[in-house]
Amino acid sequence: MAALKSILAVVAVLVISVLVQSQVGEAQQSCPAQLTSLNVCGQYVVPGATADPSPQCCTALQTVEHDCLCNTLRIAARLPSRCSMPPLNCGN
C-alpha cells in the first residue's frame, strides 16, 4: 500500500508539471523542470511520512520559484473539480 501511495505521489507531481507547463506564461517555462527536481522530496510528502526532509530535498525546494510553487498548488487544488469530484477538504 505504501508503494502505491509513493507511485501516486510521483504521478501527481508529473501531472501537475504538465498542467503548469500548459497554463503558465512564457516567463515561467522553467517551472516544470523546477518541479521535477522535487522528486527527491517524494518520500517526505506521502501519508505517514515522519522523517525530516533531507538536505537534498531542502536544496531542491529552495530552487523552486515562489510563483511556480504557488501556481502549482492552485492548479492542484482545482484538479478534483475538473475530474467531477468534490473539492478537497484538508482540515484536520
Side-chain angles (χ1 to χ4, degrees), residues 10-90:
V10 170
V11 169
V13 168
L14 293 175
V15 168
I16 291 168
S17 295
V18 170
L19 287 172
V20 169
Q21 183 175 17
S22 67
Q23 293 189 9
V24 175
E26 184 134 339
Q28 292 193 1
Q29 286 297 322
S30 64
C31 185
Q34 293 175 31
L35 294 174
T36 300
S37 73
L38 293 178
N39 285 338
V40 297
C41 298
Q43 65 185 342
Y44 307 106
V45 296
V46 294
T50 58
D52 288 337
S54 67
Q56 293 83 6
C57 174
C58 294
T59 299
L61 186 58
Q62 290 172 350
T63 65
V64 178
E65 293 177 13
H66 180 264
D67 287 343
C68 175
L69 195 54
C70 290
N71 288 333
T72 301
L73 293 173
R74 280 188 211 104
I75 290 168
R78 292 191 324 235
L79 280 177
S81 66
R82 290 182 170 185
C83 295
S84 301
M85 297 170 58
L88 292 174
N89 180 1
C90 299

